[in-house]
Amino acid sequence: SDVEVSGGQLGGLDLTGTSFRRVLIARARLSGAIFTESEIKDVTFEDAKLDLSNFRHAKLTRVAFIRCQLVDVAFGGAQLTDVTFANCDLTGAEFSGSKMKQVDLRSSTLANITGLAGLGGSVINTDQMISLLPEFAAAFEITIKND
């Protein structure tokens, strides 16, 4: 609780089952970090590199990801409540079985994501919806042809 981490190389850190409250993590590299089954509340990740990190079955409440690299991040089975992804790259993120409530993804990159049903309860913009149409079509086994 009540911690600020500014900078640092924390890649591969195993934080399974930990609890974070009132924490700021800025300009840090946490590539491949494991947050599985953690409780993360009132936390801000700013300008952080979290690619390949694992948030499976974690509980995130009032969390802000600001300008973060979240490429190939796993949120499978996670509970996200009042979470903001501001100008983040979520390319290849996985949301299978996630539960979302008041999650704002509107300013972030969403491409090649999996577990689309886990996005229920989130807010996206029209451009994101259009870019996700191939993933939605694949999820519903719809073939798109223009000939």
Side-chain angles (χ1 to χ4, degrees):
S1 294
D2 300 317
V3 174
E4 180 177 333
V5 176
S6 183
Q9 299 287 334
L10 305 169
L13 192 61
D14 188 347
L15 299 164
T16 300
T18 57
S19 177
F20 291 79
R21 284 188 175 72
R22 297 178 309 272
V23 175
L24 169 63
I25 299 175
R27 296 172 306 283
R29 182 170 186 235
L30 291 110
S31 299
I34 302 168
F35 297 91
T36 302
E37 299 177 357
S38 293
E39 185 174 336
I40 304 168
K41 191 178 282 189
D42 299 311
V43 172
T44 299
F45 294 91
E46 188 172 344
D47 296 312
K49 187 172 176 102
L50 291 147
D51 55 310
L52 300 168
S53 290
N54 182 345
F55 289 89
R56 284 187 178 97
H57 303 285
K59 293 181 182 180
L60 291 81
T61 307
R62 293 181 303 278
V63 175
F65 293 93
I66 302 168
R67 293 179 307 276
C68 292
Q69 294 294 316
L70 293 154
V71 175
D72 295 324
V73 170
F75 286 102
Q79 295 178 26
L80 293 85
T81 304
D82 195 17
V83 175
T84 301
F85 294 89
N87 298 305
C88 295
D89 185 353
L90 286 152
T91 301
E94 185 262 323
F95 294 98
S96 300
S98 294
K99 304 275 190 232
M100 295 190 182
K101 184 177 179 183
Q102 299 174 331
V103 175
D104 190 344
L105 296 158
R106 290 178 291 175
S107 64
S108 293
T109 302
L110 301 176
N112 302 318
I113 62 171
T114 57
L116 293 173
L119 292 179
S122 69
V123 177
I124 63 174
N125 66 41
T126 304
D127 291 336
Q128 289 170 315
M129 182 62 190
I130 291 168
S131 72
L132 289 174
L133 285 177
E135 284 91 349
F136 278 108
F140 291 102
E141 299 179 7
I142 297 171
T143 302
I144 300 172
K145 290 187 178 181
N146 291 321
D147 54 338

